[in-house]
Amino acid sequence: MVWRVVPAAAFLASLCVLAYGIVRTNDRTDPTWFALLLVAGVLWATALAPEIRRLARRRGHPLLHVALVLTLGFGLVTVQILRAQLFDRERILARTSDPTSGVIDVRRYALERSITRGKILLSDGSVIAEDTLENGRRVRRYLTSAAYLAGYYSPGLYGAAGLEARYDADLSGITATTWQAWLDGVLHRRRSGNDIVLTIDPRLQELGQSLLGDRSGGIVLLDADTGAVLALVTAPAFDPNLLSVPLGASADEVRRAASYLDRLREDGRGPLLLRPIQGLYVPGSTFKTITAAAALQSGVATPDTVYRDDGALVIDSRVIIEQNRPDPTRVSYTLREAYGYSLNVVYAQVGLALGASRLEETARAAGFGERIPFDLPVAVSRLTDSLDFLGAPAGLAETAFGQGQLLVTPLQMALVVTGVVRDGTLPEPYLVQETRDAAGAVVWHHEPRVWRRAFDQETARALHELMTWSVEHGYAQAARIPGVTVGGKTGTAEVGERAPHAWFIGFAERGDRRVVVAVVVEHGGSGAQVALPIGRTLLAAAVGTG
């Protein structure tokens, strides 16, 4: 009786082993899968052995055992092929090409001709990237002035870049796991990729683009509570339509796209750079927000601590000339006033009192030196590129008021302001709100997350008071918005012989709406005169008063 049960049990066990292998291994070439396949073969042999022995005793055929081995081998090969066809197909296709690496596999893209690539939409549903049929070919087309946010998709020449590359698996439908997607793949039917929906408010994006105009620079506007990017503006930008080369493109089309990319690369203004996240700039006086945070949190100073500023400060052989005092006859200012009037001499003293380690510790807590988690690669902001620089008093003093070797992205400075508006925590910024399938059903939705804590709550409250004082009484008064709580800090960052970069960082609070902004205009001149009006207009529009 037992020997009758063993073959059936062995066969069932082999099915369980194969199922376990498919679930637990990622590919048919996984060594673990091969081991499990071998186990399944042994179990099959166990299941068939009694019948083979019975036939051998009856007929005495000498080749029955050879036939058993061949049958098992054929069965195992069949299982391997079925797994490749039914379960590993998408992974195989995905692995044949990596657009982000610039490697183009025509076979993969030829297969993608059977897929309608998903759209990229702004928060109101307006389309900035979609597939269209032109002369029998599927061509990726980009719409509106915000189209550069999508990157580009160019299967006939360059592959993909930007969001098109980052979300290629979703847009091309490779990650689709629904029953319908699986069945379409098996039956080789035309499929549709998922749409991705951005957090961008088209009204604010267009406003930011018009405010920046033809000037080189970047703007980022965030929802302080969620980290959602409401506007991400860069100038100059590029036209992704001119880089979109479909499969089957003519030699002239390929030549035009290649020529356009060459021109973009040779353009000294860097139109391929998405400045709010990839541009690195000297922050100027906007960095005084970090210095003030370090002083307040460490107990080195309070908002009412008084410093002497008689117009100049000598540190080693470096002479720091004060150009921002509101009254040349006055020589004493509180930390609060020095923030609002942007007094370099005071903040140089604050930096020296802090020391390099406390200033560096606060900057790191705010994200300096680390890659910001985001939907696209973000350049890393840094305090210094030389370990010895902050060890020198002059280097430490310059850093404290925003010069030295500092380099920051606008996104980094916007996140610092979110820490001021919130309780000292920084949200994880995000640009993609959700993905939807072809029927419009939500496949994935981003849930807001906290990235890190930059300051304690008491420090955040004190910084909030410094920034609002700056708008109410200091040099950022032009940022006032009636009926709205506004805080801000201007910056005029020296960059050698050329005109300085103009900066503004700030926040606006109205009801339960809290937004922050960071603006930089390259070589724009005065932060108060050039960047502040842009930031103020965007803040007002974002809280519904503009």
Side-chain angles (χ1 to χ4, degrees), residues 222-245:
L222 300 177
D223 183 315
D225 292 299
T226 65
V229 179
L230 304 175
L232 195 70
V233 178
T234 191
F238 66 95
D239 183 353
N241 287 300
L242 300 181
L243 294 173
S244 176
V245 179

Side-chain angles (χ1 to χ4, degrees), residues 64-288:
L64 277 176
H65 290 86
V66 175
L68 173 63
V69 173
L70 291 176
T71 301
L72 290 176
F74 179 78
L76 293 176
V77 170
T78 301
V79 169
Q80 188 74 340
I81 292 173
L82 286 174
R83 169 166 183 168
Q85 289 292 321
L86 298 179
F87 299 101
D88 294 344
R89 180 174 181 274
E90 306 302 344
R91 284 195 292 274
I92 293 169
L93 291 179
R95 208 170 41 233
T96 54
S97 177
D98 179 6
T100 60
S101 68
V103 176
I104 299 172
D105 187 315
V106 175
R107 179 175 174 271
R108 180 250 162 122
Y109 286 106
L111 288 171
E112 285 195 353
R113 278 177 155 162
S114 64
I115 299 173
T116 300
R117 194 172 176 82
K119 299 173 185 175
I120 301 177
L121 308 99
L122 303 182
S123 62
D124 68 342
S126 55
V127 177
I128 64 169
E130 65 178 354
D131 275 9
T132 63
L133 272 178
E134 298 178 9
N135 300 321
R137 302 177 309 179
R138 282 195 305 112
V139 181
R140 195 68 167 168
R141 287 303 177 207
Y142 298 89
L143 313 169
T144 83
S145 60
Y148 59 79
L149 292 174
Y152 59 79
Y153 182 67
S154 180
L157 185 58
Y158 294 118
L163 291 174
E164 292 276 22
R166 171 67 175 78
Y167 287 90
D168 179 66
D170 296 275
L171 291 165
S172 63
I174 289 174
T175 58
T177 57
T178 62
W179 163 255
Q180 187 61 49
W182 178 84
L183 187 61
D184 290 343
V186 171
L187 299 179
H188 300 283
R189 294 192 303 213
R190 174 172 287 279
R191 292 186 295 163
S192 295
N194 292 333
D195 297 338
I196 65 173
V197 183
L198 309 187
T199 55
I200 296 293
D201 182 324
R203 181 179 62 91
L204 298 173
Q205 179 74 20
E206 187 174 344
L207 177 60
Q209 202 75 56
S210 65
L211 290 168
L212 196 55
D214 295 331
R215 295 173 292 186
S216 296
I219 302 170
V220 57
L221 182 71
L222 300 177
D223 183 315
D225 292 299
T226 65
V229 179
L230 304 175
L232 195 70
V233 178
T234 191
F238 66 95
D239 183 353
N241 287 300
L242 300 181
L243 294 173
S244 176
V245 179
L247 291 174
S250 68
D252 282 345
E253 289 175 309
V254 171
R255 192 161 42 248
R256 280 197 297 272
S259 174
Y260 181 59
L261 185 60
D262 288 341
R263 291 201 304 275
L264 292 174
R265 288 171 172 164
E266 292 168 1
D267 190 328
R269 299 172 303 164
L272 289 171
L273 193 69
L274 192 54
R275 284 170 163 75
I277 61 172
Q278 295 162 347
L280 286 170
Y281 302 93
V282 180
S285 293
T286 60
F287 187 77
K288 289 186 174 96

Side-chain angles (χ1 to χ4, degrees), residues 297 361-367 419 422-427 450-460:
Q297 188 154 273
E361 180 182 344
T362 302
R364 288 194 178 281
R422 296 156 56 106
D423 58 354
T425 59
L426 310 187
V450 174
W451 176 33
R452 64 197 305 130
R453 173 169 289 283
F455 330 113
D456 60 35
Q457 293 186 30
E458 185 178 351
T459 300

Side-chain angles (χ1 to χ4, degrees), residues 427-490:
E428 190 176 294
Y430 62 100
L431 181 59
V432 175
Q433 181 173 289
E434 62 189 22
T435 61
R436 298 174 184 166
D437 65 19
V442 175
V443 176
W444 168 86
H445 184 82
H446 181 93
E447 293 298 331
R449 293 186 285 267
V450 174
W451 176 33
R452 64 197 305 130
R453 173 169 289 283
F455 330 113
D456 60 35
Q457 293 186 30
E458 185 178 351
T459 300
R461 283 194 292 271
L463 290 171
H464 189 282
E465 191 254 329
L466 259 59
M467 293 190 76
T468 53
W469 194 94
S470 177
V471 171
E472 292 299 320
H473 308 285
Y475 290 154
Q477 290 185 40
R480 289 178 184 169
I481 303 171
V484 179
T485 301
V486 181
K489 183 75 191 80
T490 59

